[in-house]
Amino acid sequence: MIKILKYGEVKNEDIFARSMPKMNVEGIVAEIIDNVKKNKDKALFDYCKKFDKANLSSLVVSEEEINEAVSSVEPEFLEILQAAANNIKKFHEKQKRNSFIINDEKGIIIGQKIIPVDRAGLYVPGGTAAYPSTVLMDSIPAKLAGVREVVIVTPPNAEGKINPVILAAASVAGVDRIFKVGGAQAIAALAYGTETIPKVDKIVGPGNAFVAEAKKQVFGKVSIDMIAGPSEILIVADSKTDPAYAAADLLSQAEHDKLASAVLVTDSEDLAAAVSAELERQIPLLERAEIARASIDDNGKIIVADTLERAIEIANEIAPEHLELCVDEPFDYLDSIRHAGSIFMGRNCPEALGDYFAGPNHTLPTSGTAKFSSPLSVDDFVKKTQYTYYTKEALSKVAADVAYFANKEGLTAHAKSAVIRTEKKQ
């Protein structure tokens, strides 16, 4: 049963405690990465056989396999995928940045170029669920950014096949290439390249503890989006919230993973009790009841605050991945929310809407990192390059100032490089 905690009557450590995975995987992942660096495709084939029970003849998903998958998916689902893709494009189009140039002083031009990375690698999890939504959310911003090649890595099943809905989503999103490999070995392949899988510049996408650790270890060789922890939802709700709705929304994240975190913060003790009862009614009805039960019992909590304003303060301290604001006038409180990956406004906006369809990205900061990081966006797939141009006349006006500054830092060669161009030839 979910814990009910009254703010001010229990220790703050209990209010803000997070359940974090305690898997010591560093050594295992380091060994996998080293093996892939040395043995490349051979290591990948071996790991597919070991972990996925798949005897592959090729790591490449062929055009024929993609077409077969698309034709096997219900037309209705293809239409929904396309509608979701359109919403995601519409939202992320607004994130595109422009290069700029400043030329308001004679003889001086400065500016910034926005340049997409050449190649991006997207990790799409397999395992207990398929995630075509992740394909759309991660590949569409990359395509909008102008990335030349977007590739996917995702684990095959024992027959060496990729879930058709993954391939259908990749087709809708315009992904360039898809490879049958998962786990830490897939991250290593993207970071270092193999005979089949190209080295990328940026790796994005969620995964298990091994994938997260691999992303951490290859960072610096390539860029990554974030180190994602278990999924989280926090609902700020007042007394008029329907407890059945709140319970259903908590369970929408609890079913992800036994380590997922589902939290309700409310100013109503009656709602707290009613949501707890609803959770007990709804959990046994779920297909993933065992996972949801473990998540709710081990990591779930209901926090009762004295006011709605206090509830929002608590939410800001937790800085959740997903935050639902279940109140009558949610926009009155929007400016008070400082730390959250994605905010869902009002009583008719379940977090699942954002997972699949609305348009904002669902690859979000977890574990409190929303205090300093952001959702995946077009920005993740571009870099910025500056440029500077001065004529000799423009330089001569500031060379002495540059040299003075450089000398203050004790860097006399810097100073000389500025003034030498203004000194008269003897």
Side-chain angles (χ1 to χ4, degrees), residues 52-85:
D52 305 308
K53 313 303 179 190
N55 283 302
L56 299 179
S57 58
S58 172
L59 298 168
V60 178
V61 176
S62 68
E63 194 70 32
E64 182 183 354
E65 288 176 285
I66 296 170
N67 292 336
E68 181 183 331
V70 171
S71 65
S72 73
V73 172
E74 305 95 317
E76 181 184 7
F77 184 60
L78 288 175
E79 289 178 9
I80 292 170
L81 279 175
Q82 189 60 63

Side-chain angles (χ1 to χ4, degrees), residues 5-7 235-241 264-273 302-312 314 326-327 333 347:
L5 309 173
K6 193 162 185 180
Y7 185 78
I235 302 173
V236 172
D238 62 18
S239 61
K240 291 188 279 185
T241 298
L264 169 68
V265 189
T266 180
D267 59 350
S268 168
E269 291 189 44
D270 289 343
L271 180 67
I302 298 175
I303 302 166
V304 180
D306 51 353
T307 65
L308 202 56
E309 288 70 25
R310 177 79 70 188
I312 290 173
I314 293 168
C326 292
V327 295
Y333 299 92
R347 304 189 193 281

Side-chain angles (χ1 to χ4, degrees), residues 61-63 65-67 69-70 73 77-78 81-82 85 88-89 122-124 131-140 143 150-154 162-179:
V61 176
S62 68
E63 194 70 32
E65 288 176 285
I66 296 170
N67 292 336
V70 171
V73 172
F77 184 60
L78 288 175
L81 279 175
Q82 189 60 63
I88 295 165
K89 287 177 185 176
L122 282 48
Y123 187 88
V124 179
Y131 296 100
S133 57
T134 295
V135 176
L136 299 182
M137 292 288 181
D138 290 1
S139 57
I140 289 173
K143 283 291 185 178
V150 176
V151 303
I152 282 179
V153 289
T154 189
I162 303 299
N163 192 309
V165 297
I166 297 293
L167 299 184
S171 178
V172 167
V175 170
D176 297 291
R177 291 198 276 173
I178 309 168
F179 301 99

Side-chain angles (χ1 to χ4, degrees), residues 8 10 15 32-33 35 68 72 76 98 131 140 143 149 190 211 226 242-243 247 277 295 337 404:
V10 298
I15 295 290
I32 290 171
I33 292 172
N35 187 16
E68 181 183 331
S72 73
E76 181 184 7
N98 295 317
Y131 296 100
I140 289 173
K143 283 291 185 178
E149 186 174 40
L190 292 174
V211 169
M226 63 188 78
D242 189 318
S295 169
I337 305 292
Y404 193 95

